[in-house]
């Protein structure tokens, strides 16, 4: 197969966990909530997806378990921040610490085991079409889910009434409340959605990308996902761009080394971060689009006064 | 109120009594402490050190008590953890990562009666011994196998950081592969991390995409082995037997086998014969293990690799035997000359034929 | 049904009572966890939570651990008050260690009282320079500082790695990635002989006091608060947003850089690639746990330090996995953060609707 296509396939694999987590967090932040616990929810998704796949032999069950696991942890965050109005930044960070710990305990019984990786799509006659086949029609179901999710979330936020409500809650929770919307309810749903997505991102790592379970295996991807939401200026299509850009540069610099590029590998390893900063600077340079597009109520606690 | 207080005080006193009795009965046992840089579930470096700890428990049973602290970074926390181990009445402490070198020495100065064993370092003290394994001997064996078996003449190597240990491994594997296959090429990808399964998997895929049909790694997770298995190519286990991750892919594994050394050192403490020193053992002493060869290896290659293993073990063969030039073409070893340990310990150059550059 | 009703003012008694309640709840939950794991709950809790408090070695080690957390968290608290989100203190910490440590290595074997002050200055400037990148990109190009500072953290850690593998490597160290050990005059004086508690802690205390005065009395503190609470009013009020962004990032970057240098010149005594161990991220928790208040940060820094040290003891004494430390820390933090609600709200029955404005 053509090397370019192979490289692009590698990019898709590296970008998909980031995209899942970023899309989820994007919805959460659009609702005005900042959950820095993405890493914690991802690792729970990774261990849940892997262990349940192993126990049941069904990848579908594993995927469901990963979503559920991420959601349960998100609910914990939601309860603390929405009901008890705790500080979102600190609660999210604590969730990361907690999640990494729980996942390590949970996974102890599963270390050293393996499952079959998630099957790739294979449409007879179509997958074998040159270029288009291997590039577009030969991935696992989660890749298509992540793309579908991005499109769906974009449509939901901009075209639907519930999406409008969600944005209103994120922009001005007092006004949204005054109109009669259930701010806490909307936010809880958004947080749970975010948890499910982060769980999927983690599951992609443990069920497709590696595919195995080891402690601390997310290795900071939750943080990258958070950065991608900012990069995206809270727009889903740009989150796709961000995830593929970051994943792309990561994979490309590995390939560059294989080709024998005469640059110290540690400098090459800096590239994904530097390129992301560079691109962000270029696309946000226009100062007339002020406010950085951040939801106005991001990270602010809401209290229903009446 | 005071009644409750009294109750609490008595129960606390009882607790203290229980604790002190526990300590007293443990005093007869030899206490052994370990500090690991990763989680014991990493299936690599820390996992194998913990296997060594379990070997001690197995060998001495009730006469020994072991304890460990995992996930201790090599930064500011190491010294405290080592000191906490020393304070807990430990008789001998194994500090199992290079970055623990200076913290180990600092604590050792404060606890002259406690014995310390530091892995992969080069500074000793009267109560600090160092030990390391000649993993490059194992790299020689897998280099022979890889060189003989590659169909694309391309071996992929996933490396972590350009420290002498890693560079030595690349050179040893390359020289061995080249000796049986003059056309062989080694593609090295540095992932700049010891442990990131996702990135290790990405690197493995990149190497396979670029034509590598056999993978070697010097990182800690079994991700590359699993990728090799799924893509139907071969790989070598690193640090531990990764057979479960690649039942078809794993040709053999270089195993860090610390057990025999650990058992002998604890025995020496018990006998009162422990003394400081520097141990650098290889296949011969059993510190570097070569796991069973896979059936996938052709019989002649198996014999070649097996003979090399035995010759290395017997001391009849050295993995770095001249003539060897450095990457820039300058001579390093003349024909028949073998590398001295000083050169090996500080190796920071590629040998001729390896592509890429190392930071100087 | 229960309902929360805002207090007119934060309840002072509750402010002190809530941490105690959180600790009690953590102990209760921890006991259940240890029981479920088949461990002795009383022993585990006492090892993690109480023994370190009555042991001089552990206390000095808590000082060592809390010093960088407090320094960084104080710096971050300025930015967080003003809505300037520096998530990359870890990177500024790392670069501060690199620049300050480089001074120590340049003047290796040079004696002089001026070495340490020079190193500290270099450390502060290094941290500031690293924080200046997000400040510049934010004020000049509108680029969000969360992303820039976070991404630069990873770059900084690689910079440290490049340096310790390259030009700062110990020439006599068999090419292992670490610098020479700093000379005595480049090492922080120890407060109590035989421990690792160093003068950095005194500096941290001074920083806490200065921050308290600044926030309570000085115009800078006022500007920062206004900017955080009402950015539009701040613009109207005539002080430039960009000035506050720069100010906050310079304060947090400088203090993080200083903390990094203190780690290198204090407990570690050299530059090593694994010097950054996450203080920059943990300090974010410390800052909010201390309610962005300098005195609160002092306490929360010690609470975090306690859980780390207690967790290590539990591993040694009971052979518990290190994951337990994380779970326990997470529980403690959840309880501390969750129960805080009682300081600002009182619990009422649902029928008694309050008609107050949002507090």
């Amino acid at each position: 197969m053509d090397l370019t296509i192979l490289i692009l396939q590698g990019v898709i694999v590296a970008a998909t966990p980031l995209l899942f987590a970023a899309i989820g967090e994007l919805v959460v932040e659009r609702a005005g909530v900042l959950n820095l616990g993405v890493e914690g929810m991802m690792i729970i998704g990774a261990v849940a997806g892997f262990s349940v796949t192993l126990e049941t032999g069904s990848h579908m069950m594993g995927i469901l378990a990963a979503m559920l696991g991420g959601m349960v942890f998100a609910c914990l965050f939601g309860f603390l921040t929405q009901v008890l109005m705790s500080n979102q930044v600190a609660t999210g960070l604590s969730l990361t610490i907690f999640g990494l710990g729980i996942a390590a305990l949970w996974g102890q019984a599963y270390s050293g085991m393996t499952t079959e990786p998630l099957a790739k799509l294979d449409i007879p006659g179509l997958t074998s079409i040159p270029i288009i086949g291997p590039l577009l029609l030969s991935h696992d179901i989660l890749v298509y889910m992540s793309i579908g999710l991005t499109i769906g979330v974009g449509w939901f936020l901009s075209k639907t009434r519930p999406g409008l409500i969600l944005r209103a809650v994120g922009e001005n929770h007092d006004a949204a409340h005054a109109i009669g919307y259930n701010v806490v309810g909307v936010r809880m749903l958004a947080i749970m959605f975010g948890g499910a997505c982060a769980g999927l991102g983690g599951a992609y790592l443990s069920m497709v990308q590696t595919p195995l379970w080891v402690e601390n295996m997310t290795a900071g991807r939750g943080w990258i996902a958070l950065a991608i939401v900012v990069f995206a200026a809270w727009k889903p299509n740009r989150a796709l761009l961000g995830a593929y850009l970051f994943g792309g540069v990561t994979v490309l610099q590995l390939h560059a080394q294989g080709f024998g590029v005469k640059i110290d590998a540690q400098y090459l390893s800096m590239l994904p971060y530097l390129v992301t900063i560079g691109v962000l600077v270029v696309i946000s340079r226009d100062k007339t689009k002020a406010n950085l597009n951040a939801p106005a109520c991001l990270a602010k606690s809401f209290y229903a006064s009446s | 109120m005071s009644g409750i207080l009294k109750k609490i005080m008595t129960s606390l006193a009882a607790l203290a009594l229980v604790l002190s009795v526990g300590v007293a009965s443990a005093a007869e046992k030899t206490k052994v402490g370990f500090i690991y840089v990763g989680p014991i579930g990493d299936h690599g470096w820390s996992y194998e050190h913990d296997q060594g700890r379990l070997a001690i428990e197995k060998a001495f049973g009730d006469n020994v008590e072991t304890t460990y602290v995992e996930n201790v970074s090599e930064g500011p926390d190491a010294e405290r953890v080592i000191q906490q181990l020393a304070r807990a009445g430990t008789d001998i402490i194994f500090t199992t990562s290079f970055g623990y070198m200076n913290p180990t020495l600092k604590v050792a100065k404060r606890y002259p009666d406690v014995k310390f064993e530091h892995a992969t370092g080069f500074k000793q003290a009267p109560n600090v011994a160092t030990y390391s394994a000649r993993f490059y001997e194992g790299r020689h064996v897998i280099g022979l196998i890889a060189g003989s078996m590659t169909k694309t003449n391309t071996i992929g190597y996933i490396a972590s950081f350009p420290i002498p240990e890693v560079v030595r491994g690349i050179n040893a594997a390359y020289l061995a592969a080249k000796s049986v296959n003059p056309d062989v090429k080694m593609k090295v990808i540095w992932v700049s991390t010891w442990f990131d399964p996702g990135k290790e998997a990405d690197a493995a895929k990149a190497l396979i995409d670029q034509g590598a049909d056999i993978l070697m790694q010097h990182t800690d997770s079994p991700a590359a082995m699993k990728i090799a298995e799924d893509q139907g190519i071969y790989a070598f286990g690193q640090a531990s037997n990764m057979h479960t991750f690649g039942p078809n892919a794993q040709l053999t594994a270089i195993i860090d086998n610390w057990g025999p050394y650990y058992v002998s050192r604890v025995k020496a403490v018990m006998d009162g014969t422990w003394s400081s020193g520097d141990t650098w053992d290889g296949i011969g002493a059993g510190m570097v293990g070569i796991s069973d060869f896979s059936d996938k290896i052709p019989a002649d290659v198996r014999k070649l690799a097996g003979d090399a293993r035995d010759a290395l073990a017997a001391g009849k063969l050295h993995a770095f035997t001249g003539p060897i030039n450095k990457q820039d073409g300058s001579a390093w070893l003349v024909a028949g000359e073998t590398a001295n340990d000083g050169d090996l310990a500080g190796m920071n150059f590629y040998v001729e034929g390896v592509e890429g550059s190392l930071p100087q | 049904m229960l309902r929360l009703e805002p207090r007119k003012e934060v309840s002072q008694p509750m402010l002190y009572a809530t941490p105690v309640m959180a600790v009690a709840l953590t102990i209760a939950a921890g006991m259940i966890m240890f029981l479920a794991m088949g461990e002795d709950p009383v022993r585990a809790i006492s090892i993690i939570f109480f023994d370190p408090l009555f042991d001089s070695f552990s206390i000095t080690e808590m000082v060592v651990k809390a010093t960088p957390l407090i320094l960084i968290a104080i710096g971050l608290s300025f930015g967080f008050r003003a809505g300037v989100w520096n998530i990359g203190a870890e990177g500024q910490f790392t670069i501060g260690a690199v620049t300050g440590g480089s001074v120590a290595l340049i003047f290796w074997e040079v004696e002089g009282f001026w070495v340490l002050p020079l190193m500290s200055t270099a450390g502060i400037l290094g941290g500031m320079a690293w924080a200046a990148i997000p400040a510049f990109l934010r004020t000049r190009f509108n680029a969000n500082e969360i992303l820039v500072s976070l991404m630069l953290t990873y770059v900084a850690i690689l910079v440290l790695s490049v340096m310790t593998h390259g030009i700062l490597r110990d020439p006599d160290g068999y090419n292992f990635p670490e610098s020479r050990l700093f000379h005595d005059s480049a090492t922080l004086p120890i407060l109590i002989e035989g421990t690792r508690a160093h003068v950095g802690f005194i500096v941290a205390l001074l920083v806490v006091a200065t921050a308290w005065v600044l926030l309570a009395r000085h115009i800078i503190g006022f500007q920062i608060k206004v900017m955080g609470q009402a950015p539009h009013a701040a613009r109207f009020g005539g002080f430039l947003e960009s000035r506050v962004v720069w100010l906050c990032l310079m304060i947090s970057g400088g203090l993080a850089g200083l903390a990094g240098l203190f780690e290198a010149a204090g407990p570690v005594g050299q530059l090593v690639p694994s010097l950054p161990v996450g203080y920059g991220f943990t300090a974010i928790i410390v800052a909010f746990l201390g309610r962005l208040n300098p005195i609160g940060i002092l306490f929360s820094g010690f609470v975090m330090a306690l859980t780390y040290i207690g967790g290590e003891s539990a591993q040694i004494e009971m052979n518990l996995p290190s994951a337990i430390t994380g779970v326990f820390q997470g529980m403690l933090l959840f309880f501390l953060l969750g129960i805080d609600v009682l300081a600002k709200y009182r619990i009422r029955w649902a029928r008694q609707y309050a008609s107050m404005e949002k507090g």
Side-chain angles (χ1 to χ4, degrees):
Chain A
M1 240 185 288
D2 190 10
L3 183 59
T4 322
I5 290 169
L6 289 170
I7 293 176
L8 288 173
Q9 283 182 340
V11 171
I12 291 170
V13 170
T16 300
L18 300 174
L19 181 58
F20 269 124
I23 284 292
E25 178 68 12
L26 188 143
V27 171
V28 178
E29 293 192 15
R30 268 298 183 85
V33 180
L34 182 63
N35 184 355
L36 294 187
V38 181
E39 179 90 0
M41 299 185 297
M42 272 183 100
I43 194 93
I44 289 294
V47 70
F50 185 83
S51 60
V52 170
T53 304
L54 200 76
E55 295 287 350
T56 63
S58 152
H59 286 103
M60 267 304 127
M61 293 304 287
I63 291 171
L64 280 177
M67 291 169 67
L68 205 67
M71 235 190 250
V72 167
F73 270 66
C75 281
L76 188 61
F77 172 86
F79 173 74
L80 285 161
T81 57
Q82 302 310 306
V83 179
L84 298 183
M85 287 168 278
S86 70
N87 178 280
Q88 293 177 8
V89 175
T91 309
L93 285 164
S94 309
L95 188 71
T96 291
I97 297 177
F98 190 66
L100 287 169
I102 292 282
L105 289 181
W106 181 346
Q108 268 175 352
Y110 299 97
S111 95
M113 298 187 186
T114 58
T115 64
E116 284 299 303
L118 196 56
K120 303 258 186 280
L121 191 69
D122 188 10
I123 308 167
L126 289 181
T127 304
S128 54
I129 299 173
I131 303 177
I132 297 172
L135 201 55
L136 300 178
L137 301 171
S138 68
H139 300 289
D140 51 84
I141 183 159
L142 285 175
V143 169
Y144 300 107
M145 261 176 81
S146 70
I147 307 281
L149 205 61
T150 310
I151 298 168
V153 164
W155 170 78
F156 170 81
L157 286 176
S158 58
K159 296 279 192 295
T160 69
R161 198 175 153 70
L164 181 74
I165 296 169
L166 184 133
R167 282 189 290 140
V169 163
E171 289 298 336
N172 188 339
H173 49 213
D174 292 322
H177 176 73
I179 302 169
Y181 297 125
N182 181 350
V183 173
V184 170
V186 168
R187 285 187 171 167
M188 278 304 283
L189 287 175
I191 290 168
M192 283 163 67
F193 177 79
C197 288
L200 278 175
Y204 194 80
L205 200 63
S206 68
M207 291 169 65
V208 182
Q209 194 174 1
T210 50
L212 44 82
W213 161 255
V214 245
E215 230 179 292
N216 302 343
M217 71 180 298
T218 42
R221 279 173 183 71
W223 288 97
I224 303 299
L226 279 164
I228 286 171
V229 178
V230 177
F231 175 89
W234 293 270
K235 294 188 188 98
N237 52 348
R238 253 171 75 171
L240 185 85
L241 173 73
Y244 277 76
L245 177 74
F246 191 89
V249 180
T250 307
V251 168
L252 280 179
Q253 68 93 3
L254 295 174
H255 273 282
Q257 291 188 46
F259 287 125
V261 168
K262 292 242 179 282
I263 302 173
D264 186 345
Q266 300 190 66
Y267 292 112
L268 287 174
S269 296
M270 297 176 191
L271 270 183
Y273 311 107
L274 294 176
V275 169
T276 310
I277 292 176
V279 175
L280 176 78
V281 167
V282 171
I283 54 183
S284 53
R285 197 180 38 187
D286 187 358
K287 270 205 162 182
T288 53
K289 292 178 187 167
N291 281 337
L292 308 163
N293 291 319
C297 284
L298 190 58
K300 293 200 173 95
S301 283
F302 169 73
Y303 173 74
S305 53
S306 63
Chain B
M1 189 68 194
S2 71
I4 297 170
L5 246 169
K6 218 173 191 175
K7 263 184 198 160
I8 293 173
M9 293 307 279
T10 34
S11 52
L12 273 179
L15 186 75
L17 196 69
V18 170
L19 287 176
S20 59
V21 167
V23 171
S25 66
E28 337 259 306
K29 296 181 177 182
T30 303
K31 286 184 90 177
V32 187
F34 284 84
I35 163 170
Y36 306 134
V37 71
I40 57 172
D42 69 356
H43 274 270
W45 183 255
S46 296
Y47 172 80
E48 284 299 333
H49 283 287
D50 201 55
Q51 293 299 306
R53 178 182 71 87
L54 296 173
I56 295 173
E57 290 203 330
K58 204 172 160 211
F60 301 109
D62 284 342
N63 296 322
V64 73
E65 192 185 325
T66 68
T67 185
Y68 69 89
V69 188
E70 58 180 339
N71 273 329
V72 180
S73 96
E74 295 174 313
D77 295 329
E79 186 180 337
R80 174 181 57 254
V81 174
I82 298 167
Q83 183 152 355
Q84 281 193 322
L85 284 168
R87 275 163 44 92
T90 313
D91 298 292
I92 179 166
I93 299 172
F94 293 90
T95 58
T96 63
S97 190
F98 172 75
Y100 299 149
M101 180 166 72
N102 291 313
T104 302
L105 285 157
K106 282 187 208 164
V107 178
K109 218 181 241 174
R110 277 176 232 139
Y111 291 84
D113 296 335
V114 179
K115 316 282 185 265
F116 295 84
E117 295 264 353
H118 175 239
T120 71
F122 54 83
K123 290 183 190 168
Q124 290 97 33
N127 60 336
V128 180
T130 51
Y131 63 98
S132 186
R134 297 179 187 272
F135 296 118
Y136 64 87
E137 295 186 348
R139 299 274 170 198
H140 179 86
V141 176
I142 66 171
L144 290 174
I145 299 172
S148 308
M149 287 183 68
T150 174
K151 300 226 163 43
T152 58
N153 288 332
T154 308
I155 300 169
Y157 204 113
I158 303 164
S160 49
F161 290 102
I163 61 169
E165 166 74 40
V166 177
V167 176
R168 218 157 44 223
I170 294 170
N171 285 336
Y174 175 76
L175 288 170
K178 178 106 177 161
S179 71
V180 293
N181 180 351
D183 298 325
V184 81
K185 275 173 82 176
M186 185 114 90
K187 282 186 185 282
V188 183
I189 291 186
W190 299 88
V191 287
S192 299
T193 173
W194 283 104
F195 181 85
D196 179 343
K199 203 169 176 190
E200 291 168 52
D202 289 345
K205 283 192 200 102
L207 287 166
I208 296 168
D209 292 348
Q210 292 195 15
D213 61 350
I214 297 191
L215 294 182
M216 299 179 181
Q217 67 173 82
H218 205 142
T219 47
D220 284 345
S221 94
M225 177 62 75
K226 180 68 179 149
I227 295 296
E229 176 75 17
D230 293 341
Q231 302 235 0
I233 66 151
Y234 296 125
F236 296 97
Q238 157 71 12
S240 64
N241 194 330
M242 296 178 172
H243 184 261
T244 53
F245 297 97
N248 297 302
Q250 178 173 294
L251 294 173
T252 182
I254 303 173
I255 296 171
D256 308 359
N257 186 19
W258 306 108
Y261 179 75
Y262 287 174
V263 169
S264 74
R265 297 304 276 176
V266 171
K267 182 90 175 45
V269 170
M270 289 172 166
D271 298 345
T273 56
W274 188 95
S275 67
S276 176
D278 178 37
T279 307
W280 202 11
D281 280 341
I283 297 176
M287 196 180 264
V288 178
I290 305 288
S291 74
D292 290 346
F293 292 140
S294 149
D295 316 335
K296 307 281 192 307
I297 307 177
D300 56 328
V301 178
R302 227 187 289 184
K303 176 158 181 358
L304 174 80
D307 289 348
R309 176 194 60 204
D310 298 340
L312 286 162
K316 291 179 191 147
L317 171 67
H318 195 288
F320 291 98
T321 305
I324 301 174
N325 288 344
K326 294 187 180 178
Q327 190 184 35
D328 58 11
S330 63
W332 174 39
L333 301 174
V334 298
E337 186 187 3
T338 56
N340 65 50
D341 281 359
D343 275 5
L344 289 179
M347 187 176 269
N348 70 332
F349 56 85
Y350 278 144
V351 295
E352 196 171 42
V354 180
E355 288 170 20
S357 61
L358 286 173
Q360 290 302 321
Chain C
M1 204 187 129
L2 292 172
R3 203 189 132 75
L4 295 166
E5 176 187 303
R7 298 174 190 272
K8 276 184 192 144
E9 275 174 37
V10 172
S11 158
Q12 286 297 328
M14 273 299 177
L15 221 44
Y16 300 105
T18 49
V20 179
M21 290 158 75
V23 168
L25 283 168
T26 311
I27 291 174
M31 289 219 176
I32 293 168
M33 176 177 81
F34 288 118
L35 266 180
M37 291 175 58
E39 302 286 348
D40 178 352
V42 176
R43 182 155 174 243
I45 296 289
S46 98
I47 286 172
I48 295 179
F49 243 159
F50 297 108
D51 292 1
L53 294 174
F54 302 104
D55 174 68
S56 58
F57 168 75
S58 300
I59 292 170
T60 60
E61 282 297 326
M62 273 163 62
V63 169
V64 173
K65 192 101 191 166
T67 299
L69 290 175
I70 294 167
L71 276 172
I72 302 170
I74 291 282
L76 290 177
S77 68
F78 281 87
F80 293 163
R81 276 170 186 264
V84 178
W85 294 96
N86 179 5
I87 305 290
E90 183 83 350
Q92 294 134 26
F93 171 97
T94 307
I95 295 299
V98 169
T99 52
S102 300
V103 170
L105 294 167
I106 289 166
F107 295 105
W108 196 65
E109 291 206 308
V110 177
E111 304 236 1
F113 67 93
W114 48 271
V115 176
L116 266 176
L118 189 67
M119 284 163 65
S120 305
T121 312
I124 293 171
L125 289 176
M128 281 182 167
W130 208 245
I133 302 171
F136 174 74
L137 295 181
R138 157 92 189 254
T139 52
R140 177 74 182 73
F141 293 109
N142 214 23
N144 189 304
E145 76 278 7
I146 296 180
L147 179 131
V148 178
S149 62
L150 181 62
M151 289 295 183
L152 283 176
T153 295
Y154 299 98
V155 177
I157 292 168
L158 284 163
V159 166
L160 173 65
S161 178
V162 167
M163 302 291 254
T164 47
H165 279 90
I167 56 168
L168 296 181
R169 187 166 57 187
D170 181 356
D172 307 319
Y174 292 93
N175 295 312
F176 276 100
E178 57 171 21
S179 79
R180 287 174 149 134
L181 285 170
F182 294 170
H183 194 262
D184 282 351
S185 40
T187 309
L188 292 177
I190 295 296
L191 289 177
I192 307 162
E193 197 53 44
T195 73
R196 296 202 298 163
H198 52 80
V199 291
F201 182 60
I202 306 295
V203 176
L205 289 179
L206 291 174
V207 167
V208 168
T210 314
W212 189 80
V213 172
L214 266 186
L215 286 171
R217 301 259 178 274
H218 198 274
I219 181 76
I220 289 175
F222 174 70
Q223 288 184 344
I224 284 172
K225 278 183 207 161
V226 173
M227 165 103 177
Q229 278 158 11
H232 295 293
R235 250 169 253 141
F236 189 70
F239 38 90
L240 272 167
E241 184 191 353
S242 63
R243 227 195 92 191
V244 177
V245 170
W246 270 100
L247 186 73
C248 290
L249 277 162
M250 286 305 99
I251 294 174
S252 52
L255 284 174
L258 185 65
L261 181 268
F262 281 175
E263 282 302 285
V268 177
Q270 64 184 143
L271 286 180
V272 292
S274 45
L275 188 77
V277 291
Y279 286 137
F281 294 109
T282 312
I284 300 174
I285 304 181
V286 169
F288 282 107
L289 206 56
R291 302 179 175 114
L292 302 183
N293 173 309
I295 311 294
I297 287 170
L298 184 65
F299 281 105
S300 59
F302 272 98
V303 169
M304 280 309 281
L306 170 68
T307 59
Y308 281 110
I309 286 158
E312 286 164 5
S313 304
Q315 286 189 65
I316 293 172
E317 312 254 335
M318 303 181 71
N319 264 358
L320 296 174
S322 71
I324 288 290
T325 311
V327 173
F328 199 79
Q329 253 177 0
M331 287 195 320
L332 173 66
L333 292 168
F334 287 151
F335 284 122
L336 280 169
L337 293 163
I339 203 130
D340 209 29
V341 71
L342 295 179
K344 288 185 214 140
Y345 299 86
R346 69 177 91 236
I347 299 174
R348 283 282 163 87
W349 290 103
R351 251 173 279 162
Q352 296 170 291
Y353 274 108
S355 58
M356 262 172 268
E357 286 301 302
K358 179 175 162 270

